[in-house]
Amino acid sequence: LQQRRGLRLSAPAAIQVTVRDALNQALDEELERDERVFLLGEEVAQYDGAYKISRGLWKKYGDKRVIDTPISEMGFAGIAVGAAMAGLRPVCEFMTFNFSMQAIDQVINSAAKSCYMSAGSISVPIVFRGPNGASAGVAAQHSQCFAAWYGHCPGLKVVSPWSSEDAKGLLKASIRDDNPVVMLESELLYGVPFEMSEQAQSKEFVIPIGKAKIEKQGTHVTLVAHSRPVGHCLEAAAVLSKEGVECEVINLRTIRPMDIETVEASVVKTNHLVTVEGGWPQFGVGAEICARIMEGPAFNYLDAPAVRVTGADVPMPYAKILEDNSIPQVKDIVFAVKKALNI
């Protein structure tokens, strides 16, 4: 009626949504959409999830779709892989990805390699998800980044969201994918609100796996990061902008397959490259990006060596002051950019 009267109807505005709620929304929508999808893990059902990601889902979908498991990662990951081989689409939550080391045989040998070893006759549509990398004050055995570990393995897809849109779109894409996907979330981002567009609020919103996003356009240096360090890069870019340095910030989103084309195109434009990650330096994600740039056409456009900003090459300390100095901070990124630009 209002349209007939010639009144302009405004589209639903973007809203603020936390990463936690975006993940919950994605799980809810996919459980509703496909009866083959189910969630299992420690405390995901009656307790609503250790981080409240699965809040309300057990009450809505019941014991067969949202399943509490014993503290036995190797056991429930194996059950999930078998269920995927039999035609279901499990979402297997690790309370932290550090605990996935208990189940790494299931993730790598059973899930990642079965399609290849069966000449394509066995698909394993499973998502392994949970918090990855540093949290706060939980020391070395709970603070490791597994992006390089799982990104190393053919047969897996590996995604690493930053914003709420990333979290929702990548989780939905991962659940719908016919390959095993490792989804590395950040515990420190769960409670952080991000703007979610009208498009992202749709039940059919997915983000293609293997496609990076340019979060900020720039001309002087390319910053490439994934997960929480994307935010640090944007903060560093704001600081540097006041000094006349315009950074292009790329949110990698996917570790494997890596969207190196977007990085190459940016380096061709800016002639400088800085990679940022929370993981250790040796054989890391940044090391892979630098190698791929060196081997490809963008290398000839670099005006200076690429610079890596990484976590410190030590097991994560417990003491807060040491922990802060073991994780890349905004000042470290600013320093690296100035080093790359020789200013």
Side-chain angles (χ1 to χ4, degrees):
L1 184 61
Q2 286 176 312
Q3 283 176 321
R4 282 179 190 169
R5 288 174 181 162
L7 295 175
R8 220 169 126 205
L9 293 177
S10 59
I15 56 172
Q16 293 279 318
V17 177
T18 65
V19 171
R20 173 182 289 109
D21 289 341
L23 290 166
N24 178 266
Q25 212 175 92
L27 285 168
D28 188 10
E29 289 171 6
E30 292 306 298
L31 284 161
E32 183 179 64
R33 187 186 70 88
D34 188 342
E35 63 181 13
R36 296 171 298 171
V37 176
F38 71 97
L39 172 67
L40 80 167
E42 293 148 357
E43 298 185 350
V44 299
Q46 295 187 42
Y47 188 68
D48 278 344
Y51 305 97
K52 305 306 175 198
I53 303 298
S54 52
R55 185 179 61 244
L57 298 181
W58 174 67
K59 286 180 181 172
K60 184 172 180 180
Y61 295 101
D63 289 326
K64 288 188 176 179
R65 306 287 302 284
V66 184
I67 303 168
D68 277 330
T69 65
I71 303 173
S72 176
E73 279 75 15
M74 183 185 286
F76 69 73
I79 287 169
V81 171
M85 289 177 174
L88 299 179
R89 304 187 86 87
V91 179
C92 178
E93 178 179 307
F94 294 121
M95 197 178 286
T96 158
F97 257 93
N98 299 269
F99 300 163
S100 76
M101 294 181 78
Q102 300 288 332
I104 205 162
D105 182 57
Q106 305 289 4
V107 178
I108 305 302
N109 279 327
S110 298
K113 298 175 183 176
S114 288
C115 185
Y116 178 84
M117 293 181 73
S118 67
S121 64
I122 299 174
S123 62
V124 189
I126 186 171
V127 181
F128 300 101
R129 53 153 295 273
N132 170 71
S135 179
V138 291
Q141 293 177 347
H142 298 75
S143 300
Q144 196 166 318
C145 177
F146 285 86
W149 285 57
Y150 289 119
H152 181 63
C153 301
L156 287 179
K157 294 184 178 182
V158 183
V159 299
S160 182
W162 167 59
S163 67
S164 298
E165 285 199 7
D166 290 353
K168 182 179 179 184
L170 288 172
L171 180 52
K172 288 171 75 76
S174 300
I175 292 171
R176 297 181 187 192
D177 202 288
D178 288 332
N179 300 282
V181 182
V182 170
M183 182 158 173
L184 304 170
E185 301 154 13
S186 168
E187 181 187 336
L188 295 175
L189 289 175
Y190 282 154
V192 178
F194 290 87
E195 192 171 274
M196 189 176 271
S197 66
E198 179 196 354
Q199 180 191 10
Q201 295 168 45
S202 158
K203 287 189 176 183
E204 290 308 309
F205 175 72
V206 294
I207 289 172
I209 293 173
K211 188 66 188 156
K213 180 187 178 188
I214 298 173
E215 297 287 350
K216 178 186 177 296
Q217 298 281 348
T219 52
H220 296 124
V221 61
T222 298
L223 296 177
V224 187
H226 66 95
S227 191
R228 190 164 171 257
V230 174
H232 294 338
C233 286
L234 289 169
E235 289 179 49
V239 171
L240 287 159
S241 182
K242 294 173 184 173
E243 300 180 33
V245 176
E246 294 302 325
C247 303
E248 182 144 296
V249 178
I250 296 177
N251 173 7
L252 212 49
R253 281 181 166 174
T254 306
I255 307 301
R256 184 183 185 104
M258 187 177 283
D259 182 5
I260 206 66
E261 293 79 13
T262 295
V263 181
E264 283 178 336
S266 180
V267 169
V268 166
K269 180 169 72 167
T270 68
N271 311 117
H272 298 89
L273 173 65
V274 174
T275 68
V276 186
E277 64 188 305
W280 294 315
Q282 193 156 320
F283 313 113
V285 174
E288 174 67 16
I289 294 167
C290 292
R292 299 275 281 275
I293 291 297
M294 188 191 75
E295 292 166 351
F299 176 71
N300 295 315
Y301 290 83
L302 279 175
D303 287 345
V307 179
R308 290 182 295 155
V309 180
T310 71
D313 198 18
V314 295
M316 182 64 72
Y318 172 72
K320 188 175 190 315
I321 184 77
L322 296 176
E323 182 182 68
D324 288 345
N325 281 282
S326 299
I327 304 169
Q329 307 291 341
V330 172
K331 61 182 176 59
D332 302 315
I333 301 168
V334 171
F335 178 83
V337 168
K338 290 183 175 181
K339 179 182 175 183
L341 294 174
N342 196 28
I343 56 175

